[in-house]
């Protein structure tokens, strides 16, 4: 081989080696890029507390759903299935015996025991925010380390549904006792993610729990960002800062819906949006005033503008996804009728009032539309925006005149969808922020939860819905649909009807 040929061969070998190295480096870079270990979620508000007994609001539940488990969870047909419970039996109408899974670990290393379950429910009994969820339970008894006996005061049809409620998340007695008043900022559960840190108003950071009883979740880090403005959530998704965003509306919704770079999921939920009246204050203690306002409101512009078509007009206190839903006669838009009723009530020249909202675009738009509609009948309504925590506290105390809020039937049972909003026993933070009270309704609600025959339950709740329509403690606005938008590389997202979406099992792939 001559010198020239040797040089050519050496060069060829070197080029081949360089290409192999380059290819190997390229492959390594690709593999590295494919492994993202952090999922960032854009939430519409910061959590109020990570203690599930301290608050029952949705922004908090979306975080606590990752930290805790319950005895039961819902399947895709809204039927309760065992979770921390391995099984259960109901030997009579008052007794439910729950058998716990063995070897389930809390994030602090403690094993789940029946004593933790007993502690959890007895703590709920003393919480004004969530005791209505478990008030039907008379006592909780420890049979052995892995067996718990629930006894209700009377037959309670939706008990298993209530055991799947987010607020019945099982707590570790030692962790709660040790943390004391700071437990809401230092939560300990059995869930797929454990708490790391909370920068108030900005982000909550969680990390995968390696000993999770269903197996470690694929994504190691989970961050919930508090981003109030939905446009900023959209921008965060588009710039890659966020992987998942909740509750996008308006032009942003339409843009993301049609963009092939994202997965767009939208489904009807189990929620109802309403305008509440404070019945402890004049003039809202006058039923004619409440009726006048109901005739003055036109739902259609609200559905088209505030919800951008992402809702249907409500015609009852619960919606069509619940078995006892009954569409009552609606208050059709009639401003002249509204003026007549105001005159009869002694407010011929109208009055001034305020409506409270939190920093939420939908509620702001609803308020502005209703503000204009009420102006047409002489009611001068100012719109006041409060921070979420202050809003919840203020409406619980009864500081408001009117307010806009939503209620989700998390248990999928009409008892929960109605009772929390209108029972005399749930005034304030437990859900009844209108402070409505009707002994007949209270009686029917108790009968409905004790009745085990489903057709008889339907008849009871039909009557309740008709009375609520007549008494008008609130104006039912809409049944919203809810959306979630994710990047294309986010796999295995599962929509949860209560919108406290559980992110266990999500993978990030290229």
């Amino acid at each position: 081989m001559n010198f020239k040929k040797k040089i050519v061969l050496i060069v060829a070998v070197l080029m081949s080696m360089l290409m192999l190295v380059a290819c190997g480096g390229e492959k390594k870079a690709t593999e590295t890029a494919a492994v993202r270990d952090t999922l960032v979620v854009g939430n519409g508000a910061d959590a109020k507390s990570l203690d599930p007994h301290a608050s029952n609001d949705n922004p908090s539940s979306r975080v606590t759903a990752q930290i805790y488990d319950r005895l039961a969870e819902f399947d895709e047909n809204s039927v309760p299935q065992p979770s921390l419970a391995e099984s259960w039996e109901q030997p009579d109408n008052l007794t439910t015996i729950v058998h716990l899974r063995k070897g389930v670990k809390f994030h602090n290393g403690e094993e789940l025991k029946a004593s933790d379950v007993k502690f959890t429910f007895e703590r709920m009994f003393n919480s004004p925010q969530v005791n209505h969820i478990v008030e039907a339970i008379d006592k909780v008894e420890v049979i052995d380390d892995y067996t718990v006996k629930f006894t209700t005061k009377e037959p309670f049809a939706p008990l298993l549904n209530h055991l799947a409620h987010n607020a019945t998340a099982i707590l570790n007695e030692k962790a709660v006792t040790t943390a004391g008043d700071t437990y809401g900022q230092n939560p300990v559960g059995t869930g797929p993610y454990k708490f790391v840190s909370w920068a108030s108003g900005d982000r909550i950071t969680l990390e995968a729990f390696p000993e999770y009883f269903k197996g470690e979740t694929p994504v190691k880090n989970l961050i919930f960002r508090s981003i109030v403005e939905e446009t900023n959530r959209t921008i965060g998704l588009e710039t890659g800062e966020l992987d998942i965003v909740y509750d996008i509306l308006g032009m942003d919704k339409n843009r993301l819906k049609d963009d092939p770079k994202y997965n767009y999921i939208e489904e009807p939920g189990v929620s109802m949006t309403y305008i509440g009246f404070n019945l402890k204050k004049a003039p809202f203690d006058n039923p004619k005033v409440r009726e006048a306002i109901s005739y003055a409101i036109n739902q259609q512009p609200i559905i088209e503008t505030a919800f951008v078509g992402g809702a249907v007009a409500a015609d009852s206190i619960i919606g069509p996804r619940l078995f006892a839903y009954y569409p009552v006669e609606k208050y059709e838009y009639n401003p002249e009728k509204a003026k007549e009723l105001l005159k009869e009530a002694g407010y011929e020249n109208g009055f001034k009032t305020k409506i409270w909202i939190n920093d939420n675009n939908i509620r702001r738009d609803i308020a502005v539309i209703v503000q204009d509609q009420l102006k047409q009948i002489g009611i001068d309504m100012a719109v006041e925006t409060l921070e979420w925590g202050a809003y919840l506290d203020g409406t619980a105390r009864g500081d408001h005149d009117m307010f806009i809020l939503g209620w989700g039937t998390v248990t999928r049972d009409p008892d929960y969808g109605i009772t929390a909003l209108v029972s005399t026993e749930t005034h304030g933070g437990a859900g009844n922020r209108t402070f409505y009270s009707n002994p007949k309704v209270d009686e029917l609600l108790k009968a409905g939860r004790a009745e085990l025959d489903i057709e008889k339950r339907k008849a009871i709740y039909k009557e309740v819905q008709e009375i609520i329509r007549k008494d008008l403690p609130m104006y039912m606005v809409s049944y919203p649909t809810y959306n979630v938008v994710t990047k294309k590389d986010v796999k295995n997202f599962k929509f949860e009807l209560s919108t406290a979406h559980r992110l266990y099992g999500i993978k990030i792939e290229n």
Side-chain angles (χ1 to χ4, degrees), residues 7-33:
I7 292 296
V8 171
L9 182 59
I10 290 168
V11 170
V13 169
L14 287 172
M15 289 296 293
S16 298
M17 290 173 66
L18 286 170
M19 286 179 69
L20 285 170
V21 170
C23 288
E26 204 174 289
K27 184 178 179 183
K28 186 175 180 181
T30 302
E31 287 173 348
T32 303

Side-chain angles (χ1 to χ4, degrees), residues 261-292:
K261 294 195 298 294
Y262 307 108
N263 298 313
Y264 181 88
I265 306 159
E266 183 171 17
E267 292 190 25
V270 285
S271 298
M272 183 269 296
T273 300
Y274 67 97
I275 297 171
F277 308 110
N278 188 344
L279 273 60
K280 294 196 301 183
K281 285 187 176 182
F284 304 104
D285 56 348
N286 188 325
K288 286 188 182 292
V289 170
R290 303 195 299 271
E291 192 176 0

Side-chain angles (χ1 to χ4, degrees), residues 49-90:
S49 174
L50 298 182
D51 177 350
H53 300 169
S55 187
N56 193 20
D57 66 294
N58 206 34
S60 298
S61 295
R62 285 175 169 173
V63 182
T64 59
Q66 324 309 323
I67 299 172
Y68 301 97
D69 290 295
R70 297 154 298 284
L71 294 175
E73 61 185 20
F74 292 109
D75 64 15
E76 62 275 10
N77 298 312
S78 294
V79 177
Q81 302 294 336
S83 180
L84 288 178
E86 191 170 58
S87 64
W88 51 64
E89 66 248 15
Q90 295 177 300

Side-chain angles (χ1 to χ4, degrees), residues 239-463:
T239 59
E241 180 185 358
L242 303 175
D243 299 295
I244 299 175
V245 293
Y246 298 147
D247 310 326
I248 301 298
L249 293 169
M251 296 301 293
D252 289 340
K253 168 184 170 178
N254 293 334
R255 186 168 81 250
L256 294 177
K257 187 176 183 179
D258 297 331
D259 194 324
K261 294 195 298 294
Y262 307 108
N263 298 313
Y264 181 88
I265 306 159
E266 183 171 17
E267 292 190 25
V270 285
S271 298
M272 183 269 296
T273 300
Y274 67 97
I275 297 171
F277 308 110
N278 188 344
L279 273 60
K280 294 196 301 183
K281 285 187 176 182
F284 304 104
D285 56 348
N286 188 325
K288 286 188 182 292
V289 170
R290 303 195 299 271
E291 192 176 0
I293 290 173
S294 299
Y295 277 115
I297 295 174
N298 185 354
Q299 288 170 304
Q300 203 52 43
I302 295 173
I303 301 299
E304 293 172 358
T305 304
F307 291 95
V308 197
V312 296
D315 51 12
S316 189
I317 193 170
I318 55 175
R321 297 200 80 157
L322 302 183
F323 75 82
Y325 160 73
Y326 177 75
V328 296
E329 181 185 354
K330 289 173 64 175
Y331 287 86
E332 299 297 341
Y333 178 56
N334 189 337
E336 293 308 313
K337 175 74 172 175
K339 289 177 185 177
E340 290 174 18
L341 287 164
L342 276 185
K343 184 177 180 180
E344 291 174 20
Y347 295 94
E348 183 176 3
N349 297 318
F351 57 87
K352 289 186 177 182
T353 188
K354 288 182 182 178
I355 191 165
W356 279 13
I357 60 170
N358 65 303
D359 197 353
N360 175 291
N361 286 350
I362 299 176
R363 290 172 190 165
R364 179 201 62 205
D365 291 345
I366 294 171
V368 169
I369 293 167
V370 171
Q371 181 184 47
D372 181 64
Q373 292 177 347
L374 295 189
K375 188 176 181 181
Q376 308 308 311
I377 64 166
I379 296 176
D380 182 2
M381 184 187 77
V383 179
E384 189 168 332
T385 304
L386 282 77
E387 180 272 329
W388 181 237
Y391 177 91
L392 291 177
D393 292 341
T395 51
R397 289 192 302 267
D399 298 341
H400 56 287
D401 295 343
M402 300 168 66
F403 65 101
I404 301 176
L405 201 55
W407 185 258
T409 307
V410 181
T411 67
R412 321 289 204 268
D413 189 274
D415 171 68
Y416 185 82
I418 301 175
T419 300
L421 293 182
V422 298
S423 169
T424 303
E425 296 177 358
T426 57
H427 281 185
N432 185 349
R433 298 168 193 267
T434 67
F435 300 93
Y436 169 75
S437 184
N438 183 325
K440 177 63 175 176
V441 169
D442 291 340
E443 178 187 327
L444 287 167
L445 290 173
K446 287 178 181 177
R449 60 175 50 185
E451 179 56 63
L452 301 180
D453 184 290
I454 194 166
E455 293 304 319
K456 290 180 180 177
R457 290 192 82 204
K458 284 182 181 178
I460 290 168
Y461 291 119
K462 175 179 180 288
E463 186 174 355

